Amino acid sequence: MKWGDENIRYVFTPMERWLPLFLESIGYSAWERIFERPEGYPYYHWLHTLDGEGRFELYGDVFRLTRGKGVLLAPLTPHSYYPVSDRWATIYLTFGGSAAPAILESLGMNTTVFYEEGDDHSFDELFHDLLLRIKRSPSHSDIEVSSDLYHFLVRLRKFGMMNDSPSLSQYYRRLAPILKWMEQHLADNIGLAEMAEYANMGIHGLHELFQQAFGMSPYSYFLQMRLREAKRIMLQHPDKALREVAEQTGFNDVSHFVATFRKKEGITPGKYRELHLNAEQKEGMREKKS
């Protein structure tokens, strides 16, 4: 993808800043300059190298930003950066919003993190799509820009290799066979030992892999799969007894199923089915009237 020799920059007005997530600026620097910010920048700041090489100084350490590498800075983080090659071309965006910390926290991105492109995706393509949509928009105050920013961050988290760790998409590919196997054994009495044996790895290694990919243990993820299947069965077969649902989804007995469901969902299985079936009946009545 060719970016050219001219800088591109959009700066957004305070009108957009009532949004829970907003862009403050976005752009492309064909020839990146020297920046020294001893007090940091007031917004989250993402900087990524398209071509050449720069140096990024953070808390006394120096990091190389070569092609395909970038950094996501938390607000007010002291830093500086400068080119070390004849030309250092970068893309960047700055953003904030009342929901930004919570969104980044949920994505595991709420601290200063260095990223590198994975083999399966290119950051400049993500960025180019976002920049193109903004350019085509008749007004920079469109709420769609906030939505585009959110999707950009999610894709950055999914495809970016954080601090030299594999990207989420790479974790998913590694876990795909074990997830399919777990799906096929929801009703069976299996635990971590059986999962690790099938995955041909140690229990600790499997636990770390699930933590990196999903933020939970393998057994917690397996439990979520069982509950999801239980919901599907209850709604598709409203007359099926809870005892049968529990048996089909690997719970020891009805009381264990009800207690686990209530703990995770906040209501009992019976109440869950009642609420959803009532909602479907009301929707059907509205469709008949219309």
Side-chain angles (χ1 to χ4, degrees):
M1 185 174 297
K2 296 181 179 180
W3 287 83
D5 294 330
E6 294 186 4
N7 292 342
I8 302 171
R9 180 174 173 82
Y10 293 100
V11 179
F12 295 83
T13 69
M15 291 177 60
E16 290 85 13
R17 299 181 190 177
W18 61 271
L19 293 167
L21 185 67
F22 64 80
L23 267 177
E24 191 254 346
S25 69
I26 182 172
Y28 159 68
S29 292
W31 305 84
E32 189 59 86
R33 301 171 293 147
I34 298 173
F35 281 91
E36 294 184 1
R37 297 191 175 112
E39 297 181 358
Y41 196 77
Y43 299 102
Y44 290 96
H45 181 198
W46 183 68
L47 178 71
H48 175 78
T49 298
L50 285 176
D51 193 24
E53 181 177 343
R55 291 288 191 274
F56 194 93
E57 295 189 3
L58 180 71
Y59 300 128
D61 293 324
V62 180
F63 301 88
R64 297 177 62 205
L65 288 185
T66 54
R67 177 176 175 78
K69 294 184 178 181
V71 59
L72 178 64
L73 277 168
L76 305 177
T77 302
H79 66 277
S80 63
Y81 54 90
Y82 49 89
V84 294
S85 58
D86 291 339
R87 178 183 182 185
W88 183 29
T90 66
I91 48 181
Y92 63 88
L93 58 81
T94 59
F95 62 96
S98 59
I103 291 172
L104 292 175
E105 181 72 30
S106 67
L107 293 172
M109 300 166 62
N110 202 28
T111 58
T112 295
V113 178
F114 286 88
Y115 287 84
E116 184 174 359
E117 292 177 348
D119 297 333
D120 48 5
H121 224 74
S122 172
F123 288 169
D124 61 330
E125 291 179 1
L126 299 182
F127 194 85
H128 185 270
D129 291 344
L130 177 58
L131 199 60
L132 190 61
R133 285 193 293 273
I134 293 171
K135 181 180 179 180
R136 290 174 175 173
S137 172
S139 170
H140 289 169
S141 63
D142 287 348
I143 197 170
E144 285 80 8
V145 174
S146 177
S147 175
D148 287 339
L149 172 60
Y150 173 77
H151 288 294
F152 175 82
L153 293 172
V154 170
R155 292 170 72 186
L156 180 64
R157 178 65 181 96
K158 180 178 180 181
F159 296 109
M161 298 170 59
M162 296 173 57
N163 294 339
D164 297 324
S165 297
S167 68
L168 285 184
S169 63
Q170 291 170 323
Y171 280 123
Y172 295 157
R173 283 201 301 272
R174 290 181 63 185
L175 285 169
I178 181 66
L179 296 180
K180 182 177 180 180
W181 180 81
M182 290 163 67
E183 194 82 43
Q184 295 169 344
H185 291 80
L186 291 178
D188 299 335
N189 183 23
I190 62 174
L192 277 174
E194 289 79 9
M195 295 178 194
E197 181 180 359
Y198 179 82
N200 195 28
M201 60 192 309
I203 291 177
H204 179 73
L206 185 65
H207 180 85
E208 287 298 311
L209 200 57
F210 269 80
Q211 284 289 346
Q212 291 288 345
F214 304 113
M216 64 179 70
S217 69
Y219 192 77
S220 293
Y221 190 87
F222 190 48
L223 186 60
Q224 295 288 355
M225 294 174 74
R226 282 174 162 169
L227 292 175
R228 183 178 67 234
E229 176 65 8
K231 292 176 184 178
R232 185 193 67 80
I233 294 172
M234 285 191 294
L235 297 185
Q236 290 190 0
H237 305 279
D239 296 328
K240 182 162 289 192
L242 291 183
R243 176 184 56 79
E244 295 180 83
V245 177
E247 289 176 356
Q248 288 182 277
T249 51
F251 291 93
N252 296 331
D253 49 49
V254 177
S255 60
H256 180 217
F257 172 52
V258 172
T260 303
F261 195 99
R262 180 186 293 176
K263 181 179 179 180
K264 297 293 184 180
E265 302 294 330
I267 56 176
T268 64
K271 187 64 176 178
Y272 173 87
R273 178 154 58 184
E274 178 186 340
L275 289 173
H276 280 267
L277 292 179
N278 286 342
E280 290 180 3
Q281 290 172 356
K282 290 179 181 179
E283 183 63 27
M285 292 176 64
R286 280 196 296 267
E287 290 178 357
K288 287 181 179 180
K289 290 180 179 180
S290 61

